[in-house]
Amino acid sequence: SPPWAHYKEGEILKMKGKASLAVATGQIEFDGSAVAMRNIQGALSPTEHESDTPLPFSGEIEISGLASIVDTPSGEWMKDVVANAPFHARFVIEAAEPQKEESGSVELPFVVARALKTFQLEGWDVNAKVDMTRSSFGGAVEVDGALLINGDVGTYAGFPYPLKNIQSQITFHQDDVKSGNEQELASSKSMVYMSFDGIGGGNGELVGSVLSVEDGIVIPDIQLTVRNERITPALAETISIVSGDAYETVLGVLGGIGLEAELDLVGTILGDIQGDTETHFTVRIDDGISTPNEKLATAIHASGPFWPEGFQFKDVDGTITIDNGVVVMDKASFLCKTGSLEASLLVKEGEFKLE
């Protein structure tokens, strides 16, 4: 079986060994060269399971190429079948997050647990279809699958903004499952599509891929889109976080301009084999209202507010880009009672420049 993990409250502990199958119902077919188990239902129990309730499953298993194996000396052929014969197996697994009052972790296929951790889902349920295939005698085992994961709330690690009403589809491929007690993955690739609602009334989607390699490095290639989202303190905090070293300055400016607006955001998160990540975000603001406050004066190191009390900009229009922590706003326009203003902003490594 594929690797398994303990999962509890966003944390994963990878398990050693293989899961055991307890088959309750099903049909067995044997034609002399292949054996098939059809319409099977039962429970999966990893060797290190903590839960009192094994995970229910349904599926089928077919083992082929038996004609050349069954004639080997007695007692040896079954061992060869299990270890080397061509086979195809499909498992369908459904699971849901335990109730808060329940203790202990839930046992899940490792790829499912990793998806739950990546998106920090709460109130989740999972439907997983996992196909395992060995095409030739003694060949590598390939694992393919599809996950349907829903969550009440969650946060993607690459853009830590609260999401809700999450629906996701994840397909994955793992090139090989190594033998031995550790049963590590040689590599795996997941394709992700996720739709969600923002806490500011907007909606969005996340699409792309996540590649995992042997030494534990995770390489994302993700595009994030958010539409018609109202600016909230949580969104200002998130934009400041992805600004890196400019966090304090960006948070101060965003909080200080007192902006009320809906925005559209597009972001790209790209990883590499060294484990480094590049981020590129574009934020588009139209028809906003800005009421500056003292936080702005503090953020730009002014001695105090330099605008009259109650001053307000309208029809705020501009684009903010954040490329690997460098924040640029180029020629944003503002209207007020006495005229108009055009401003550009650069924040890099904590340094602030406003024109």
Side-chain angles (χ1 to χ4, degrees), residues 48-224:
E48 301 176 359
H49 69 96
E50 297 178 356
S51 173
D52 294 332
T53 305
L55 197 62
F57 81 95
S58 61
E60 59 183 36
I61 303 172
E62 183 170 348
I63 304 173
S64 58
L66 301 183
S68 61
I69 302 176
V70 295
D71 293 332
T72 58
S74 177
E76 295 296 321
W77 73 273
M78 182 58 73
K79 181 178 179 180
D80 283 344
V81 167
V82 174
N84 297 304
F87 76 94
H88 174 76
R90 166 169 285 188
F91 301 101
V92 178
I93 302 167
E94 295 187 0
E97 184 176 20
Q99 297 296 316
K100 295 296 183 183
E101 60 269 16
E102 295 181 13
S103 60
S105 61
V106 60
E107 283 76 46
L108 297 167
F110 180 74
V111 67
V112 177
R114 185 169 56 201
L116 293 175
K117 179 177 181 179
T118 299
F119 298 105
Q120 293 293 300
L121 295 180
E122 297 181 16
W124 53 265
D125 61 78
V126 175
N127 179 288
K129 294 181 180 179
V130 182
D131 287 282
M132 302 182 65
T133 304
R134 181 190 288 125
S135 300
S136 60
F137 188 84
V141 176
E142 293 195 354
V143 182
D144 293 275
L147 312 177
L148 298 178
I149 305 179
N150 300 318
D152 293 339
V153 296
T155 302
Y156 174 53
F159 187 77
Y161 183 59
L163 312 175
K164 60 181 183 178
N165 302 327
I166 298 162
Q167 296 181 323
S168 60
Q169 302 173 24
I170 301 173
T171 58
F172 62 90
H173 175 79
Q174 298 164 349
D175 294 330
D176 190 13
V177 179
K178 295 181 178 180
S179 60
N181 292 331
E182 283 289 339
Q183 202 175 34
E184 296 285 342
L185 292 177
S187 65
S188 68
K189 185 173 184 178
S190 300
M191 304 300 296
V192 180
Y193 173 79
M194 173 180 290
S195 63
F196 56 84
D197 294 334
I199 62 173
N203 59 75
E205 61 184 19
L206 182 151
V207 297
S209 65
V210 179
L211 177 66
S212 300
V213 294
E214 283 185 82
D215 52 5
I217 293 176
V218 177
I219 305 173
D221 184 351
I222 296 291
Q223 181 165 315
L224 175 71

